[in-house]
Amino acid sequence: KPPISTIPNEILGVIFQEIVAQDPHTNHLRFAAVCRLWRDVILSTPTLWSRLIISDLKRGNNSTVYDLGDQNGTVWISGGYQACLSNDELNAALKRSGATPLTVNIEIWRSGLASTGVELMWGRLHRQPISNRIRHMQISLLGPSNLEFPPNTVYPVLTGLEMTFGRKTSKSLAVEDADPYEEFGPDHFPEESWSLPALSKLKLCTRSDLELPTWFSSTSMPNLQELEMRLNEDSPAEFSSTTFSNLKSLTIYADRPDQFLIRALESGPNLEAIIILKIQDGAAFLRRLSVPGADMLCPRLSIVVLECRGSKRTLEPLVRQVLAQRSGHLERFEVIWSSKDRKAVASYA
């Protein structure tokens, strides 16, 4: 017997889980083809089946179908995820995953043409008992959307949420009968509150005219510590000021986020890191950090990274004033002077 055959099945299952944890895109069913023992271990390890992708696209070249035997049927694997294009496939995936927490990736490209199966799966993911099991969820609504966000939804164990609404299409990805440069996304968020008591990390990319819900606040996300937002200059970013009360890290991509940033500074006493990328100017943000008494704003702030297209001659005096106000507090203060042709990084702390 080869030595690896002497490893207990439980330990072998843990080894497979660690391999998948290091690279979430690992196709675990490749190991099932090695021998009958490995196949049986993989089929009986629910955590290896806890990653689902829900999509309305036909399966592409990166998807592979596997026959799991008479009792288990077939399964499509795409990038290490179980690909579900129908309600029956979702039921089978949930059965394989047992009661383990789920990672769910939802990609809707042609939801204006969505089948009944896609709409049914969408609704089920936002209701118990499935919503009680989702630990990480990525929602990408990238086509003309007729899907609604259900109101009053509770995700008790959800710790990470990524939401992307809209894209600019290219010829290779263009949606039928659509302007190739049109931005897509849902019409609105639900007015009634979602409850996300365990959420610690939120990543949000919105189209320009999508209004953010007023319930994005500490009451619905009391443990939110990391917020990353990609906005363009017209995005309203109407977050409640209480959203920032427990926030430790804020990353924002936007042209003119001055009001949003100033609100974060004034209502985020626990902020430790602010990273601002692709900002048009940055002067208003630096002025707010440099006025007398500004060291009382975000007293724990130790990391500031600012990428801007403003004039170095205009902004550098403000940078010096910030350093004077926060002397001894900043561990990292970088300004990236960005132009069309090049970038220059200046480190001040």
Side-chain angles (χ1 to χ4, degrees), residues 92-155:
L94 292 171
K95 183 177 180 181
R96 293 187 197 102
S97 65
T100 58
L102 299 173
T103 295
V104 179
N105 187 352
I106 305 167
E107 293 182 357
I108 304 298
W109 292 82
R110 301 168 180 262
S111 52
L113 313 170
S115 66
T116 303
V118 171
E119 294 176 355
L120 182 59
M121 287 189 291
W122 170 265
R124 289 183 63 195
L125 290 170
H126 298 293
R127 295 195 301 269
Q128 297 179 2
I130 301 178
S131 63
N132 288 349
R133 294 177 54 195
I134 299 178
R135 178 171 290 172
H136 186 275
M137 181 162 56
Q138 180 176 339
I139 301 174
S140 302
L141 299 186
L142 306 170
S145 176
N146 61 0
L147 298 176
E148 297 290 337
F149 282 89
N152 301 318
T153 304
V154 180
Y155 296 95

Side-chain angles (χ1 to χ4, degrees), residues 36-299:
R36 182 183 297 274
L37 172 63
W38 284 25
R39 178 181 175 276
D40 291 343
V41 169
I42 286 174
L43 288 176
S44 61
T45 306
T47 51
L48 293 175
W49 301 94
S50 62
R51 296 175 299 151
L52 316 178
I53 181 169
I54 311 296
S55 176
D56 60 350
L57 280 184
K58 294 181 180 179
R59 297 180 176 92
N61 295 330
N62 64 336
S63 298
T64 307
V65 63
Y66 293 87
D67 187 348
L68 303 180
D70 295 337
Q71 300 298 320
N72 299 287
T74 59
V75 60
W76 286 85
I77 300 296
S78 177
Y81 286 71
Q82 293 181 87
C84 304
L85 271 69
S86 70
N87 197 48
D88 288 341
E89 290 179 344
L90 177 59
N91 287 334
L94 292 171
K95 183 177 180 181
R96 293 187 197 102
S97 65
T100 58
L102 299 173
T103 295
V104 179
N105 187 352
I106 305 167
E107 293 182 357
I108 304 298
W109 292 82
R110 301 168 180 262
S111 52
L113 313 170
S115 66
T116 303
V118 171
E119 294 176 355
L120 182 59
M121 287 189 291
W122 170 265
R124 289 183 63 195
L125 290 170
H126 298 293
R127 295 195 301 269
Q128 297 179 2
I130 301 178
S131 63
N132 288 349
R133 294 177 54 195
I134 299 178
R135 178 171 290 172
H136 186 275
M137 181 162 56
Q138 180 176 339
I139 301 174
S140 302
L141 299 186
L142 306 170
S145 176
N146 61 0
L147 298 176
E148 297 290 337
F149 282 89
N152 301 318
T153 304
V154 180
Y155 296 95
V157 299
L158 186 69
T159 59
L161 175 62
E162 300 181 31
M163 296 193 287
T164 300
F165 304 124
R167 65 182 172 91
K168 290 193 175 180
T169 62
S170 64
K171 290 184 179 178
S172 61
L173 297 175
V175 177
E176 295 175 4
D177 303 322
D179 185 324
Y181 297 100
E182 185 176 356
E183 292 180 326
F184 299 120
D187 292 332
H188 57 82
F189 282 92
E191 295 300 327
E192 294 83 357
S193 176
W194 280 13
S195 178
L196 308 168
L199 189 70
S200 62
K201 185 174 183 179
L202 171 64
K203 182 177 180 180
L204 181 64
C205 178
T206 75
R207 68 180 195 178
S208 59
D209 60 348
L210 182 65
E211 293 187 6
L212 303 180
T214 55
W215 54 263
F216 268 42
S217 66
S218 63
T219 56
S220 55
M221 302 182 292
N223 292 304
L224 184 64
Q225 296 186 7
E226 297 180 50
L227 173 62
E228 180 178 334
M229 299 185 67
R230 294 174 180 264
L231 309 169
N232 68 21
E233 61 185 88
D234 297 320
S235 298
E238 291 297 334
F239 271 52
S240 166
S241 58
T242 59
T243 302
F244 308 105
S245 59
N246 296 315
L247 206 63
K248 292 185 178 180
S249 174
L250 173 63
T251 302
I252 184 167
Y253 300 73
D255 277 348
R256 297 180 177 87
D258 288 336
Q259 292 183 351
F260 178 85
L261 288 169
I262 291 172
R263 179 184 296 183
L265 286 174
E266 294 176 345
S267 54
N270 295 307
L271 270 174
E272 298 174 0
I274 297 179
I275 300 173
I276 312 159
L277 303 175
K278 302 186 183 302
I279 192 173
Q280 185 66 36
D281 187 348
F285 169 70
L286 290 173
R287 287 193 190 97
R288 189 67 186 91
L289 275 180
S290 62
V291 297
D295 56 322
M296 300 302 295
L297 293 174
C298 305

